[in-house]
């Protein structure tokens, strides 16, 4: 690889956010970010101004340590498409051949009726994917470089074709990981054998750290059933088990109890935030002290983390929804992620992608255009605020507040307490 080109900054695709002596350079096309000091960025800008080539810039440094730092920095900036020109061959970027995390929803049905469910799933809705639909879906799935494939619902184990679906997927597709997302209540001995043989990982929603906290959301007896399933799976050799719990305003102080449960079980905790949508919105009084559409547990947890962890840092927007992540419904409709399964953000139907590039078709869809309007650098109410890339990290949360001025102000006020505090320079 030759390094003989003139250094150029790719201003057409980047946004620059300055925080004192620190600069975040964000590539809006590839949704990647690089954090560097303002002094170092000034050097890169001077190199461009004087039309320096790669080797000319390196020759301006005497100290080998400084020279090696610049070499590594230029590689990182080039890989993230923030600079161009100084390498005759670009470093391969994973987003050039975009591997994807796919969520395949095989049913809307669920044996539980959780009070917080944003999809409002229950046993009444029998919509599900059958074998014929899956076989017709395979040509679309084969077009995609799959990193991980998550079988989800509803509760996927309520689909009578579950075992056939998994076998068809395993026989026909290449992927790095097959993951099952389940509530863990329907796993018997034979099912556990099948899961351990075919899945790399299992994600179980438990939403509690004991019977009382779990039954508050999921119903009586669910906690013990999940614990039994975890121990059964571990006994049969499953080592990659995560337990998830939804946190909200009224239980945010129980996060350590949940972590302790996972430590005791030998599982990995996944901490999710309550979404006031679907059945969760109808039962809002169970989770929040006031009627709201915002996930107010997010700023509350940030404040808690700042006070408890000196090394805590806020990470900028890096959501890959609609690009490195897709949600495919049982009817073939495609959405950016599990949290944006609405007509407004539909990216098309998998059965209509014959003969066309998946990425190009998605990027040209109306749903994708609506999606990118939710990104912090595009969202009109906030795109002039330099803190937006740290504040609006989830497009689904932006969707919650975009048309509600009261909820927007609530969110802004809560996050402003963080960004305009004495801790701000430390956590960014």
């Amino acid at each position: 690889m030759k390094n003989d080109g003139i250094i150029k900054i790719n201003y057409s695709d980047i946004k620059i956010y300055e925080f004192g002596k620190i600069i975040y350079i964000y590539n809006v096309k590839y949704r990647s970010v690089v954090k560097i000091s303002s002094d170092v960025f000034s050097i890169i800008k001077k190199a461009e101004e004087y039309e320096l080539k790669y080797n000319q810039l390196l020759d301006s440094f005497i100290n080998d340590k400084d020279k090696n730092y610049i070499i590594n920095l230029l590689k990182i900036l080039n890989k993230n498409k923030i600079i161009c020109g100084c390498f005759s061959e670009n470093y391969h970027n994973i987003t050039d051949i975009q591997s994807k995390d796919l969520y395949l929803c095989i049913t809307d049905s669920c044996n539980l009726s959780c009070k917080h469910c944003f999809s409002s799933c229950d046993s009444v809705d029998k919509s599900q994917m059958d074998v014929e639909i899956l076989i017709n879906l395979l040509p679309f799935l084969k077009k995609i470089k799959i990193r991980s494939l998550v079988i989800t619902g509803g509760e996927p184990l309520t689909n009578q074709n579950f075992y056939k679906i998994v076998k068809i997927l395993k026989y026909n597709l290449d992927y790095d990981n097959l993951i099952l997302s389940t509530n863990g209540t329907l796993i018997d001995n034979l099912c556990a054998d099948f899961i351990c043989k075919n899945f790399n990982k299992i994600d179980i929603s438990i939403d509690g750290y004991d019977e009382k906290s779990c039954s508050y959301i999921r119903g009586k007896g669910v906690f013990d059933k999940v614990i039994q399933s975890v121990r059964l799976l571990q006994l049969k050799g499953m080592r990659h088990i995560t337990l998830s719990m939804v946190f909200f305003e009224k239980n945010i102080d129980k996060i350590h109890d949940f972590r302790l449960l996972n430590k005791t079980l030998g599982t990995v905790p996944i901490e999710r935030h309550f979404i006031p949508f679907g059945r969760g919105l109808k039962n809002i009084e169970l989770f929040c002290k006031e009627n709201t559409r915002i996930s107010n547990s997010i700023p509350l947890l940030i404040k808690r983390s700042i006070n408890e962890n000196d090394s805590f840092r806020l990470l900028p927007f890096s959501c890959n929804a609609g690009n490195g992540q897709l949600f495919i419904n049982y009817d073939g409709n495609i959405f950016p992620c599990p949290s944006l399964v609405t007509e407004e953000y539909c990216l098309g139907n998998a059965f209509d992608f014959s003969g066309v590039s998946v990425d190009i078709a998605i990027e040209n869809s109306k749903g994708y255009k609506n999606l990118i309007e939710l990104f912090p650098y595009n969202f009109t109410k906030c795109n002039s605020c330099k803190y937006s890339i740290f504040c609006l990290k989830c497009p689904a949360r932006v969707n919650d507040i975009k048309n509600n001025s009261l909820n927007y102000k609530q969110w802004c006020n809560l996050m402003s307490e963080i960004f305009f505090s004495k801790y701000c320079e430390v956590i960014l």
Side-chain angles (χ1 to χ4, degrees), residues 113-117 207 212-219 245-253 274-276 278-292 296:
S113 185
C114 302
K115 296 181 180 70
H116 71 319
C117 182
D207 293 315
K212 182 179 179 180
S213 56
C214 179
S215 62
Y216 183 79
I217 293 176
R218 293 188 164 259
M245 179 172 175
V246 169
F247 287 92
F248 41 89
E249 189 177 3
K250 293 184 178 182
N251 76 347
I252 198 72
D253 60 328
F274 170 66
I275 302 172
R279 197 179 293 125
L281 184 60
K282 292 180 180 179
N283 296 318
I284 189 70
E285 73 282 353
L286 298 177
F287 308 105
C288 300
K289 295 176 182 178
E290 60 180 319
N291 193 358
T292 182
N296 55 13

Side-chain angles (χ1 to χ4, degrees), residues 137-344:
L137 192 61
L138 288 175
F140 170 81
L141 296 175
K142 288 180 178 180
K143 290 182 178 183
I144 299 173
K145 181 177 174 60
I146 302 174
R147 181 169 48 239
S148 62
L149 178 59
V150 183
I151 308 301
T152 186
E155 169 50 52
L157 292 177
T158 64
N159 188 320
Q160 61 186 4
N161 300 301
F162 172 76
Y163 295 97
K164 291 180 181 179
I165 286 173
V166 173
K167 289 177 181 178
I168 291 171
L169 291 171
K170 288 206 71 175
Y171 183 79
N172 288 278
L173 299 179
D174 292 323
Y175 43 75
D176 295 332
N177 290 294
L178 184 62
I179 302 168
L180 176 63
S181 179
T182 174
N183 61 37
T185 61
L186 300 176
I187 300 174
D188 57 19
N189 195 58
L190 291 176
C191 183
D193 285 332
F194 182 83
I195 290 171
C196 292
K197 180 181 178 180
N198 291 283
F199 288 87
N200 305 96
K201 178 182 175 184
I202 181 168
D203 295 334
I204 303 178
S205 303
I206 191 169
D207 293 315
Y209 54 90
D210 59 15
E211 169 61 26
K212 182 179 179 180
S213 56
C214 179
S215 62
Y216 183 79
I217 293 176
R218 293 188 164 259
K220 293 181 179 181
V222 171
F223 182 80
D224 286 341
K225 288 181 181 179
V226 172
I227 299 302
Q228 289 172 13
S229 294
V230 169
R231 288 174 175 156
L232 178 61
L233 289 164
Q234 290 174 330
L235 183 66
K236 293 180 178 293
M238 176 60 73
R239 294 292 174 261
H240 302 289
I241 302 175
T242 63
L243 294 182
S244 68
M245 179 172 175
V246 169
F247 287 92
F248 41 89
E249 189 177 3
K250 293 184 178 182
N251 76 347
I252 198 72
D253 60 328
K254 301 301 182 182
I255 195 166
H256 291 300
D257 296 282
F258 178 62
R259 291 172 182 174
L260 179 60
L261 170 68
N262 280 271
K263 184 177 180 180
T264 302
L265 291 172
T267 52
V268 177
I270 302 294
E271 296 150 11
R272 307 188 193 280
H273 294 285
F274 170 66
I275 302 172
F277 195 77
R279 197 179 293 125
L281 184 60
K282 292 180 180 179
N283 296 318
I284 189 70
E285 73 282 353
L286 298 177
F287 308 105
C288 300
K289 295 176 182 178
E290 60 180 319
N291 193 358
T292 182
R293 287 295 301 269
I294 67 172
S295 297
N296 55 13
S297 60
I298 296 175
L300 291 174
L301 187 57
I302 291 174
K303 290 179 181 179
R304 187 182 184 92
S305 299
I306 291 172
N307 292 326
E308 295 180 352
N309 186 354
D310 291 338
S311 62
F312 174 78
R313 296 293 182 272
L314 274 178
L315 298 176
F317 171 79
S318 60
C319 175
N320 65 354
N323 190 356
Q325 177 183 179
L326 294 174
F327 180 95
I328 304 174
N329 215 352
Y330 55 83
D331 57 2
N333 281 335
I334 306 168
F335 302 91
C337 71
S339 297
L340 287 172
V341 185
T342 63
E343 184 178 354
E344 184 178 4

